Amino acid sequence: MDSLKLLAHPIRLRIVHAMGGGRLLTTAQLCARIPEASQATVYRHIDLLVSGGILEVAEEHKVRGAVERHYRLRQDRAVIGAETVRTLTPEDHRQAFATAMTALLAEFNAYLDREGANPVADQVGYRQHALWLSPTELAELISGLRAAIVPRLANSPSPERAQYLLSPIHFPVEAPQREAERPTT
């Protein structure tokens, strides 16, 4: 199964989110992170991610006669390449976007359901801004966002860090007006 098909499922996407930052997690820890999914469902999705090379077994320990596995994310495999993106149909984009939004909503609900959730103190944000951008300005904005985000992707968990889900989304809501279409004054 290719990376797009593996990542195009809300539970698998949430598992990938949970594994970020070099974390080693067990299936039990992932089940606790995704309580609305059954244990069997989480196990099945972990197996698919391992089979697809997105997760790997980092450690194994015997616990009360059973083998407990700690999994690690293979960040280099948890991406959808630019070449794949270029081949997607509009329907493929709809499905991928719906999956991303479903996972985002589930993560947000899990956050709000957590004891002590405090959106103000945690600086939760979900603003939307409608910007007028030329292709060059859009490229500069994306480049600036990447410059701010990419170095932090390597951050590992620590006592002073909380894991945040950041979801930059951008798409044109209106096509550029051609000269002949512009209103005259």
Side-chain angles (χ1 to χ4, degrees):
M1 191 180 298
D2 66 25
S3 292
L4 176 61
K5 288 186 177 147
L6 280 168
L7 296 173
H9 189 282
I11 299 292
R12 291 193 292 270
L13 195 52
R14 291 185 67 201
I15 291 168
V16 169
H17 292 162
M19 300 298 298
R23 296 174 93 186
L24 301 182
L25 298 175
T26 66
T27 303
Q29 290 168 317
L30 289 165
C31 286
R33 173 86 183 240
I34 309 169
E36 69 279 4
S38 71
Q39 186 176 5
T41 297
V42 174
Y43 269 89
R44 188 174 66 251
H45 288 295
I46 289 170
D47 285 343
L48 284 169
L49 290 168
V50 170
S51 297
I54 291 177
L55 294 183
E56 64 185 0
V57 177
E59 300 174 359
E60 292 183 334
H61 303 284
K62 278 226 173 205
V63 177
R64 293 182 299 277
V67 176
E68 180 181 73
R69 291 181 179 89
H70 287 78
Y71 297 94
R72 171 184 18 240
L73 178 66
R74 293 193 52 203
Q75 188 66 47
D76 61 317
R77 301 287 308 265
V79 295
I80 300 166
E83 195 57 41
T84 299
V85 171
R86 282 192 275 281
T87 67
L88 298 180
T89 66
E91 193 53 43
D92 293 333
H93 282 285
R94 275 187 194 90
Q95 182 60 46
F97 188 80
T99 298
M101 293 302 97
T102 300
L104 183 62
L105 183 59
E107 291 282 6
F108 191 67
N109 284 332
Y111 160 73
L112 290 174
D113 291 342
R114 213 172 51 221
E115 176 98 16
N118 186 335
V120 174
D122 293 333
Q123 298 185 51
V124 170
Y126 40 83
R127 291 184 178 97
Q128 295 179 343
H129 306 280
L131 308 172
W132 292 94
L133 302 169
S134 70
T136 301
E137 291 167 330
L138 177 60
E140 289 169 352
L141 176 64
I142 292 169
S143 178
L145 290 170
R146 284 185 180 143
I149 296 168
V150 169
R152 289 163 179 86
L153 291 175
N155 287 357
S156 57
S158 69
E160 69 275 359
R161 286 187 177 137
Q163 188 183 41
Y164 281 77
L165 186 58
L166 181 64
S167 300
I169 299 167
H170 48 84
F171 55 90
V173 293
E174 188 175 312
Q177 291 181 344
R178 292 187 299 254
E179 197 65 39
E181 297 172 342
R182 290 193 182 128
T184 57
T185 53

